[in-house]
Amino acid sequence: MIKKWRDIIFDHKISLRERMFRLVTCISMIALIFILILGRFTANMFIMAGSIAYMYLVMRISIRKECINTGATAIVVLLLLLFPVVFFAGGGIYGGVPEWFVLCFIYISITLKGKRMAVFFLLCTIETLVCYYVAFHYPEFVLPNTTGQAYFDSARSVILAGALTSVLLLFQNHLYEEENQVTIQQKKEIEELNETENHFFSSMSHEIRTPINTIIGLNEMILRGDISDDLAENARNIQGASKMLLTLINDILDLSKIKSGKMEIVNVSYETGELFSEIVNMIWIKAREKGLEFRLHVDPSIPSMLCGDEVRIKQVLINLLNNAVKYTKEGSVTLSVRCERLGLNRVRVWYSVEDTGQGVKKENIPYIFDAFKRVDEKKNRHIEGTGLGLSIVRQLVELMGGKISVNSVYMNGSTFLVMLEQDIISEKELGAFTLASRTKVREGEQYKHSFEAPDAHLLVVDDNEMNLMVVSKLLSDTKIQIDTASSGNECLRLTQYQHYDCILMDHLMPEMDGIECLHAIHSQPGGLCQTVPVIALTANAGSDNQQLYRKEGFSGYLAKPISGALLEAAVMSILPRELVQLSEEASQSEIGKDVLIFEQAKRISLMVTTDSVCDLPDSLKKEFGIYVCPYYICTEQGRFLDNSELLADEMLAHMAEGGQGFSQPPDVEDYERFFAQRLTEAQNVIHITMAKHVSNGYHNAVEAAKSFENVTVVDSGHLSSSMGLSVLYAAYMAENHASREEVVGTVKRLRRYISSAFIIDNTNAMCRAGQISRNVQILCDALLLHPVIVLRKSRMTVGSMELGSFHHVIKGYVRKALKNARNIDRRILFITYAGMDEKSLEYIQELVRQYCPFERVYLQKASSAIASNCGPGSFGLLFMKKNEASISLSEMSRGDGR
Ligand code: ADP
């Protein structure tokens, strides 16, 4: 019996309510039984026994009749009737009954629901208060207990009520844990189901794409031939239907990705003009074919480069424009773009697609964004569509953090409005963007091959014979010599003895797949194609392809079905230039969503950048590809960019006239923009800053670098050309393929070996820039003292003081700076100065030659930012001390040192 009850209580198939009802009622009955057993023999006993029998019966009947709510209510009523009687008969508050009131509350809250529970809860509260009130004011109603009995009853009740409540809580806990387990299990099952669904969709897409590839490819060959109008019409219809099928597959795939949370938004910097051109080129001709006017209004103030998911923005706009053309019989379709500035480097862009078509009925507007929902079916039955487009559009816009809305008047037209916020990459405005300036006429376009490369050798690897044939045929007009291999092993046999200029490799092949084959080619002993670019051919659509193929080392990828034009474009961009002869009419083919030749192939792997205060000659910066982020100089006239807007000489002239000026590092936003731009040219950036305790530049750059994965900021520990020395060192290492860690480690180590010491003529500028106190300035001026500023542990300190006229102290400074000639790396020296005359510079050079001649000496004018801090008549001898990590710096100075 107990086991049966236990099984019932833990049985998941029985509703939780019923199980709780059984448990709580049993507990209450057990409590009553205990009271009965342990109690004294009074009239109460009969009432109790009757109550237990009543409860048992009610429970059985209500479970059998499935009316638990009524059963529970009947038991609560009994308890409410019973408790006043036992309360007054059992000694009032000097007995064991008050604890049972607590149990009664628990019973009500567990077994009853909603309003009924609230009512009985209230009744129980009132009853408790009334019992206490009566017992207090009319003690004669209470059957008194002796003190001993009162203690005994109370202790018994406390223990019983406590034990029973604990059982209840333990059970609840157990239930909670069990339910938790079930939820976790269910979640796992749902994830597995999702995974299976995704797998199904992607393999379905793969399976369908392969035959469509053959259909589209061979159909294109038919269209290229000299055929009758009838045949051409049929072939064009086949082309249209295949493309429709393809759109459908892509939509389903996109939808399943969004649903499973796998759709990733990849923000990249892109050119707005390019984006609009591509969109216009795709839509304009469709509108014209339908006799519609296509209008374009682009706000000229929109920045020419933004950061956003270019592919998805294009997908959204093309979808809306396609719909506008589809659902408009006459009139026009208009694409308008306007932008609104949000703070320094962010814009809110509004794209609106307006048509004069059939519009959407008001009652249907809420449903048009639902998946698989086509509204006004009767009217639209002749228009192709699946009802997926707008659903994907809305979800993509939301994923990009934007908003979409629609405004439509039935029979009059619709306007879809999309808002997206994006970062500005280039402040340059796009300017006038007109339709005439951008559209490319494609009407009646007859296929013309874009290039010929009869000397080029190409290998196509695919296990599907049809695919091999399609690619060979599509490229036949380019006269490329094409070999084919139907497996990875066959490919390796060919690459062992034959050099190819490009390899097209299918991804999914039995035995050895495309990725394994690529790795085998790269490491093939004696193979002739170890460094040949390989393009992946894939029937798996999806944005994750890009990452996968790039990571594995492919030079690009092409999604099947492959169109002739895209295939030619991809092969042309990979083949060595000298093998390609462009055909006369050929325009640069566009590379669209389905083909991607990785930018990475063209991006350098590691770039070293720094701030404008590095004081390096332009020739060296150019030679080592060192980009600089400009500092600012603030004067009474405003804020200027270091060097480009304010030259050092202008700055010094301004100071000579009593003007003020001080330098300011780039803001975090400036650095963010700078890094984003550099990352379009390099995969990794190391940015070397001025000593971190001298300016805020380091902290701002570190803050900005947090927004990027591949930007590392290092404190040079120095400034001016001594910082430039460490930048040169790092750039040299990067050029020689050192890793990011190696370069960063070396720059940190070099801090100790670089000598940074400047001597200044007078301390006015330093005092104004807050580098020294006013008292020190007065002292220096009065005693004709010239401080020598040195950098230690990224801090600027006064190293020593030279006494006398400036001309006199130059000698002392040079001698001291070069006194340990044996420890000086004599290959390169910067004499960096601000506001020095020719004669003084000659004198300094003469002294250098005398004390410690260098192989290369650069006379470098300090940047305006540095000049503003040290003032005129300052210079420093900046060089490196010998160190174990010495590399050939003379190689670096291939430039124009004297
Ligand atoms: P479909 O494949 O049917 O075009 P969409 O999701 O793109 O699917 O659109 C859903 C429905 O919204 C369409 O069936 C159509 O009734 C309506 N619709 C979308 N765009 C327009 C428009 N520009 N003008 C009128 N109706 C539209």
Side-chain angles (χ1 to χ4, degrees):
M1 168 92 166
I2 293 176
K3 188 174 174 304
K4 191 178 150 204
W5 270 78
R6 215 192 91 93
D7 289 349
I8 289 175
I9 284 171
F10 291 110
D11 188 350
H12 280 284
K13 289 187 205 93
I14 299 172
S15 76
L16 185 64
R17 227 167 112 57
E18 181 184 325
R19 288 189 283 151
M20 286 308 283
F21 174 64
R22 279 175 188 260
L23 184 76
V24 184
T25 313
C26 278
I27 284 177
S28 307
M29 278 162 46
I30 292 169
L32 291 177
I33 291 169
F34 265 102
I35 297 174
L36 206 63
I37 297 168
L38 300 175
R40 286 155 286 134
F41 190 78
T42 57
N44 266 354
M45 292 268 181
F46 293 107
I47 303 173
M48 293 258 195
S51 303
I52 294 168
Y54 171 83
M55 280 169 87
Y56 180 72
L57 277 177
V58 170
M59 185 173 70
R60 299 244 22 189
I61 294 167
S62 54
I63 289 173
R64 195 171 305 150
K65 301 242 178 230
E66 292 180 6
C67 49
I68 288 168
N69 218 14
T70 320
T73 315
I75 292 176
V76 171
V77 171
L78 169 81
L79 294 179
L80 289 181
L81 292 173
L82 187 67
F83 281 144
V85 179
V86 285
F87 178 77
F88 289 107
I93 64 160
Y94 303 106
V97 184
E99 287 78 6
W100 300 112
F101 279 110
V102 179
L103 268 188
C104 188
F105 279 113
I106 294 176
Y107 191 91
I108 291 171
S109 57
I110 287 181
T111 58
L112 298 184
K113 282 182 113 183
K115 266 192 198 146
R116 200 176 283 198
M117 181 186 84
V119 170
F120 278 99
F121 211 90
L122 191 69
L123 280 177
C124 192
T125 312
I126 294 168
E127 185 181 273
T128 310
L129 290 174
V130 170
C131 286
Y132 271 67
Y133 182 86
V134 173
F136 180 72
H137 289 285
Y138 308 100
E140 61 275 19
F141 288 130
V142 181
L143 219 72
N145 268 339
T146 63
T147 315
Q149 271 167 357
Y151 272 86
F152 174 76
D153 281 0
S154 175
R156 181 192 58 189
S157 299
V158 168
I159 292 166
L160 273 178
L164 297 175
T165 318
S166 305
V167 170
L168 211 64
L169 285 176
L170 282 175
F171 176 70
Q172 286 238 2
N173 239 352
H174 178 84
L175 272 188
Y176 169 77
E177 270 165 22
E178 246 182 22
E179 291 301 316
N180 214 10
Q181 283 297 330
V182 172
T183 318
I184 291 170
Q185 182 61 24
Q186 280 173 346
K187 204 171 143 212
K188 217 171 121 200
E189 279 167 16
I190 291 170
E191 272 166 12
E192 275 169 12
L193 211 69
N194 261 338
E195 201 57 39
T196 323
E197 193 186 83
N198 271 336
H199 184 71
F200 167 74
F201 279 128
S202 70
S203 54
M204 181 192 81
S205 144
H206 180 266
E207 292 310 312
I208 297 178
R209 272 165 179 271
T210 309
I212 297 184
N213 188 36
T214 314
I215 297 172
I216 292 186
L218 294 184
N219 195 54
E220 190 173 328
M221 292 312 296
I222 296 174
L223 276 167
R224 281 185 195 180
D226 191 9
I227 48 170
S228 70
D229 287 353
D230 262 4
L231 207 54
E233 174 79 33
N234 289 347
R236 267 193 289 274
N237 285 340
I238 295 177
Q239 201 175 34
S242 317
K243 284 188 178 156
M244 173 75 200
L245 196 55
L246 209 60
T247 317
L248 181 65
I249 297 165
N250 286 340
D251 280 357
I252 292 180
L253 211 63
D254 277 350
L255 212 63
S256 104
K257 264 196 186 162
I258 294 173
K259 213 178 95 194
S260 60
K262 287 205 174 140
M263 175 67 81
E264 274 180 30
I265 295 300
V266 187
N267 287 332
V268 290
S269 47
Y270 71 92
E271 290 188 23
T272 43
E274 280 293 307
L275 178 92
F276 299 139
S277 293
E278 281 177 37
I279 293 172
V280 167
N281 278 322
M282 292 177 90
I283 293 300
W284 173 80
I285 195 77
K286 284 189 185 172
R288 214 172 105 168
E289 271 167 11
K290 252 191 116 177
L292 302 173
E293 190 189 343
F294 180 62
R295 297 187 194 146
L296 178 74
H297 303 298
V298 179
D299 183 349
S301 72
I302 189 167
S304 60
M305 275 189 95
L306 292 175
C307 180
D309 192 332
E310 184 191 10
V311 173
R312 298 298 163 199
I313 298 174
K314 219 184 316 174
Q315 187 178 351
V316 164
L317 294 179
I318 286 176
N319 229 311
L320 294 177
L321 285 162
N322 269 335
N323 272 355
V325 173
K326 226 164 51 168
Y327 296 103
T328 305
K329 279 210 187 93
E330 54 188 37
S332 63
V333 169
T334 311
L335 170 66
S336 319
V337 185
R338 69 185 170 84
C339 81
E340 179 193 328
R341 291 262 162 174
L342 300 173
L344 247 184
N345 61 343
R346 210 160 161 77
V347 276
R348 183 174 286 151
V349 187
W350 300 89
Y351 308 88
S352 118
V353 175
E354 195 180 341
D355 64 57
T356 54
Q358 63 185 52
V360 188
K361 283 186 188 160
K362 202 168 153 215
E363 67 266 26
N364 286 333
I365 288 181
Y367 307 110
I368 60 172
F369 291 107
D370 292 351
F372 297 104
K373 189 95 184 171
R374 302 200 72 206
V375 298
D376 223 351
E377 288 264 19
K378 223 162 91 201
K379 200 164 179 189
N380 293 341
R381 67 182 182 280
H382 301 300
I383 302 176
E384 283 171 342
T386 54
L388 284 180
L390 285 184
S391 160
I392 294 171
V393 163
R394 184 176 63 183
Q395 297 187 64
L396 286 178
V397 170
E398 281 169 2
L399 275 176
M400 289 189 277
K403 282 196 187 108
I404 181 165
S405 58
V406 56
N407 196 345
S408 186
V409 179
Y410 191 50
M411 304 306 286
N412 248 343
S414 323
T415 306
F416 286 83
L417 196 62
V418 174
M419 182 280 285
L420 292 173
E421 286 183 12
Q422 293 163 66
D423 281 341
I424 301 172
I425 297 292
S426 165
E427 288 286 348
K428 202 172 136 230
E429 293 183 352
L430 178 64
F433 183 94
T434 60
L435 204 53
S437 68
R438 296 292 171 156
T439 47
K440 288 182 192 158
V441 180
R442 289 238 188 106
E443 200 188 13
E445 198 178 0
Q446 177 69 29
Y447 167 77
K448 279 271 182 308
H449 57 274
S450 50
F451 73 99
E452 284 186 2
D455 295 329
H457 230 111
L458 180 121
L459 176 64
V460 193
V461 191
D462 199 316
D463 60 311
N464 185 312
E465 290 293 332
M466 276 293 186
N467 283 343
L468 289 177
M469 183 183 74
V470 168
V471 173
S472 307
K473 285 199 170 193
L474 286 176
L475 287 176
S476 59
D477 285 354
T478 61
K479 302 200 170 73
I480 298 177
Q481 302 170 47
I482 299 173
D483 285 347
T484 58
S486 54
S487 71
N489 285 325
E490 197 182 334
C491 161
L492 291 175
R493 268 199 298 281
L494 289 170
T495 53
Q496 183 76 62
Y497 304 107
Q498 170 72 43
H499 170 79
Y500 293 97
D501 301 297
C502 173
I503 298 175
L504 300 177
M505 175 83 68
D506 183 33
H507 177 185
L508 293 183
M509 293 187 289
E511 289 167 30
M512 184 189 289
D513 74 14
I515 295 175
E516 287 164 348
C517 188
L518 172 82
H519 294 314
I521 294 172
H522 282 170
S523 56
Q524 188 174 26
L528 299 179
C529 297
Q530 290 177 354
T531 54
V532 167
V534 182
I535 299 178
L537 295 179
T538 172
N540 298 331
S543 55
D544 17 346
N545 281 340
Q546 191 172 332
Q547 275 152 13
L548 170 75
Y549 295 125
R550 179 176 290 189
K551 202 177 95 222
E552 295 296 345
F554 284 96
S555 303
Y557 81 84
L558 273 164
K560 291 179 196 172
I562 308 161
S563 90
L566 292 183
L567 181 63
E568 275 183 20
V571 171
M572 190 173 83
S573 68
I574 286 284
L575 283 181
R577 285 283 153 263
E578 62 277 12
L579 296 180
V580 175
Q581 302 155 17
L582 287 178
S583 58
E584 265 173 34
E585 307 87 338
S587 56
Q588 184 69 34
S589 305
E590 279 165 56
I591 298 193
K593 178 187 167 191
D594 289 342
V595 55
L596 187 91
I597 299 304
F598 296 140
E599 282 287 303
Q600 190 133 348
K602 297 171 207 154
R603 285 197 294 163
I604 58 166
S605 88
L606 182 59
M607 179 189 273
V608 172
T609 61
T610 185
D611 298 319
S612 63
V613 285
C614 68
D615 292 346
L616 284 175
D618 286 343
S619 56
L620 281 184
K621 281 193 263 184
K622 206 162 154 212
E623 193 175 340
F624 287 96
I626 300 167
Y627 284 89
V628 296
C629 188
Y631 262 54
Y632 294 104
I633 303 113
C634 303
T635 70
E636 297 87 344
Q637 271 86 43
R639 199 164 85 148
F640 301 94
L641 282 176
D642 188 16
N643 284 346
S644 62
E645 288 179 357
L646 186 67
L647 294 176
D649 289 342
E650 291 167 342
M651 178 65 217
L652 291 172
H654 173 74
M655 286 165 82
E657 285 162 17
Q660 302 249 352
F662 60 91
S663 66
Q664 207 179 52
D667 305 329
V668 176
E669 290 82 17
D670 294 326
Y671 274 123
E672 279 172 354
R673 223 170 302 137
F674 177 76
F675 292 151
Q677 221 142 23
R678 298 289 73 83
L679 286 172
T680 59
E681 295 153 50
Q683 295 159 35
N684 292 287
V685 169
I686 294 180
H687 186 81
I688 302 178
T689 67
M690 201 200 249
K692 67 176 171 192
H693 298 301
V694 179
S695 123
N696 262 342
Y698 173 77
H699 302 283
N700 291 355
V702 167
E703 200 50 43
K706 285 180 187 160
S707 309
F708 305 90
E709 242 176 41
N710 29 14
V711 176
T712 315
V713 177
V714 204
D715 165 25
S716 69
H718 294 270
L719 50 79
S720 185
S721 304
S722 47
M723 160 186 171
L725 269 172
S726 100
V727 172
L728 276 182
Y729 215 115
Y732 176 82
M733 288 181 79
E735 205 178 74
N736 285 285
H737 311 293
S739 70
R740 176 156 68 161
E741 292 70 27
E742 283 167 343
V743 176
V744 171
T746 306
V747 171
K748 286 183 180 167
R749 230 170 330 124
L750 278 183
R751 284 181 204 148
R752 283 190 291 133
Y753 295 105
I754 290 175
S755 173
S756 267
F758 299 85
I759 182 150
I760 51 180
D761 184 15
N762 74 62
T763 46
N764 294 352
M766 286 203 78
C767 179
R768 253 180 285 153
Q771 313 277 19
I772 55 170
S773 71
R774 177 96 184 105
N775 289 341
V776 175
Q777 189 210 342
I778 294 169
L779 193 75
C780 289
D781 284 355
L783 300 176
L784 279 183
L785 285 175
H786 301 275
V788 176
I789 306 298
V790 292
L791 276 123
R792 282 195 200 113
K793 295 194 174 158
S794 294
R795 279 176 211 283
M796 194 144 81
T797 51
V798 177
S800 59
M801 289 282 187
E802 296 290 334
L803 187 71
S805 74
F806 190 56
H807 208 73
H808 172 76
V809 301
I810 288 177
K811 192 172 177 183
Y813 162 75
V814 175
R815 190 163 41 86
K816 267 191 204 155
L818 302 178
K819 87 170 169 246
N820 256 336
R822 264 189 308 136
N823 288 337
I824 292 174
D825 186 331
R826 296 195 186 191
R827 283 172 291 191
I828 191 164
L829 170 77
F830 282 97
I831 303 177
T832 305
Y833 63 95
M836 302 275 290
D837 54 41
E838 278 279 323
K839 230 173 91 206
S840 307
L841 288 172
E842 271 300 326
Y843 180 52
I844 296 167
Q845 285 184 80
E846 183 49 46
L847 289 172
V848 168
R849 275 194 290 273
Q850 208 176 317
Y851 292 121
C852 177
F854 279 77
E855 281 173 32
R856 280 176 193 276
V857 176
Y858 286 89
L859 272 184
Q860 175 66 35
K861 207 179 262 184
S863 58
S864 357
I866 295 283
S868 72
N869 285 328
C870 58
S874 318
F875 80 97
L877 298 184
L878 311 165
F879 54 87
M880 193 120 57
K881 292 176 204 155
K882 280 185 185 153
N883 66 82
E884 81 282 358
S886 266
I887 54 161
S888 173
L889 273 179
S890 52
E891 269 202 46
M892 287 186 203
S893 51
R894 278 169 274 169
D896 55 354
R898 331 190 211 155

